[in-house]
Amino acid sequence: MIYPIYTELTECRDCYKCVRGCPVKAIQVNEGSAVVLKDRCIFCGKCVGVCPSHAKKVRNDVARVKQFMKDKSRVIVALAPSFVSEFPGKGDQLLCALMRLGFCGVSETAIGAALVNASVEEITKAHGGSCPYISTACPSVVQLVHKYFPNDVKRLLPIPSPLQCQSAYLRHLYGNDIGIVFIGPCIAKKVEADQSPGYPDFALTFGELRQWLGEEGISLDKVEVKDVPPFMPCKAGASTFYPVEGGMIASLSWGRDPMQTKGVALSGADQVLGALRHLDEGGPGSETFLELLT
């Protein structure tokens, strides 16, 4: 299987921008081409964004999902909460369009985030009011800890990611025979699908969704808003803020305290790497909850 991020060797122009831009130096020049080292890559997608010749590619899973849907009678979309910013003002049109693609329903991934929050609240109570863990909502962060900070693997939150929790919940509600396809902005979610088959079955980026809609001749501007399907099993609440820096902490009961000192939110590879190095070196903050997003 092709890894989620790879190099199209014939398109690489030896500019080495990806080499300089990779936060974990997971790109190696081999016979004149900059190739991704799968054992070092955290799938953050920085190299894809900086490559001027578009030689860094994201694995396209649209064809695989189409075939999967032919074999499954019921396939549900696990939709990232950031769809509201990706398709501003087109939420109802998007839901209708997804049904036209053949999905049987749509569920917000933030439902899984709410389940994670409930577990975090219990962990906090068990630890006397603190939660000394690193959030696992961002799969790039999980990859980063496992590959570069193995001593801190024990600090990862002992709860599956929101996407995995949502997938398990949907299977509990609607049966193990359903299919689940995540759609969102994150390339690293493809790794989650690869490493935990069925939780979800596949992961598509918003770019892949736009491609698919184009192939089917579906324009959100022209979709008739009629019989808009409700979210399965219901619309999510405050956990929809998970993609925003500090959104997870803010959706927790102790995080809503304006004077809270139990958690720190950081985003961006440099900030996250700095925090993990500090932690790995035994710096203060071992009892602090770290909400990290690359």
Side-chain angles (χ1 to χ4, degrees):
M1 179 187 296
I2 298 174
Y3 259 62
I5 297 177
Y6 64 97
T7 302
E8 188 65 61
L9 299 180
T10 58
E11 296 180 17
C12 184
R13 296 293 179 264
D14 306 334
C15 69
Y16 307 138
K17 286 188 177 180
C18 59
V19 176
R20 294 189 293 270
C22 178
V24 292
K25 307 307 176 188
I27 298 175
Q28 181 181 67
V29 178
N30 184 16
E31 296 182 356
S33 296
V35 296
V36 179
L37 303 176
K38 63 182 183 181
D39 294 332
R40 295 181 61 84
C41 181
I42 61 171
F43 309 102
C44 64
K46 297 293 188 299
C47 61
V48 178
V50 301
C51 180
S53 59
H54 307 292
K56 290 294 176 289
K57 304 288 188 183
V58 178
R59 187 184 71 206
N60 193 305
D61 290 315
V62 172
R64 295 173 67 206
V65 170
K66 286 182 178 181
Q67 183 58 51
F68 177 70
M69 293 179 68
K70 291 180 181 178
D71 301 332
K72 284 281 187 180
S73 59
R74 296 183 300 159
V75 181
I76 298 173
V77 172
L79 187 62
S82 51
F83 80 90
V84 295
S85 59
E86 181 73 17
F87 304 97
K90 296 288 191 299
D92 289 346
Q93 290 89 336
L94 178 63
L95 294 178
C96 292
L98 289 169
M99 302 303 287
R100 285 177 58 179
L101 290 178
F103 293 102
C104 73
V106 182
S107 176
E108 291 183 280
T109 306
I111 290 290
L115 296 173
V116 171
N117 277 5
S119 296
V120 171
E121 299 282 10
E122 291 301 316
I123 288 174
T124 303
K125 291 178 183 177
H127 283 81
S130 66
C131 185
Y133 290 101
I134 301 168
S135 62
T136 55
C138 176
S140 283
V141 169
V142 174
Q143 291 285 319
L144 180 63
V145 173
H146 276 279
K147 292 178 178 179
Y148 293 90
F149 299 92
N151 291 336
D152 295 320
V153 169
K154 61 183 179 295
R155 283 288 308 271
L156 289 171
L157 192 64
I159 305 168
S161 72
L163 175 56
Q164 293 172 25
C165 287
Q166 179 202 23
S167 298
Y169 185 51
L170 291 176
R171 294 189 185 284
H172 171 74
L173 292 177
Y174 305 112
N176 286 324
D177 62 329
I178 63 170
I180 301 172
V181 176
F182 170 81
I183 300 179
C186 181
I187 299 169
K189 286 291 195 294
K190 290 179 179 287
V191 180
E192 277 197 65
D194 291 347
Q195 295 181 344
S196 54
Y199 297 89
D201 295 290
F202 292 96
L204 299 178
T205 64
F206 284 135
E208 288 170 289
L209 174 59
R210 291 182 184 277
Q211 171 206 322
W212 190 359
L213 292 172
E215 292 173 352
E216 301 297 329
I218 300 174
S219 169
L220 294 185
D221 292 329
K222 298 180 180 178
V223 169
E224 182 180 0
V225 179
K226 183 179 181 181
D227 298 325
V228 180
F231 284 112
M232 300 172 66
C234 61
K235 188 170 177 57
S239 53
T240 55
F241 292 111
Y242 254 59
V244 181
E245 181 178 324
M248 179 181 183
I249 291 174
S251 64
L252 292 162
S253 62
W254 49 265
R256 290 192 288 270
D257 180 354
M259 301 301 291
Q260 76 86 13
T261 58
K262 299 176 182 178
V264 174
L266 297 169
S267 63
D270 291 340
Q271 293 274 8
V272 170
L273 278 166
L276 291 175
R277 288 182 184 124
H278 178 77
L279 191 67
D280 201 47
E281 293 167 358
S286 60
E287 294 300 309
T288 304
F289 179 72
L290 297 178
E291 178 188 340
L292 306 179
L293 300 170
T294 59

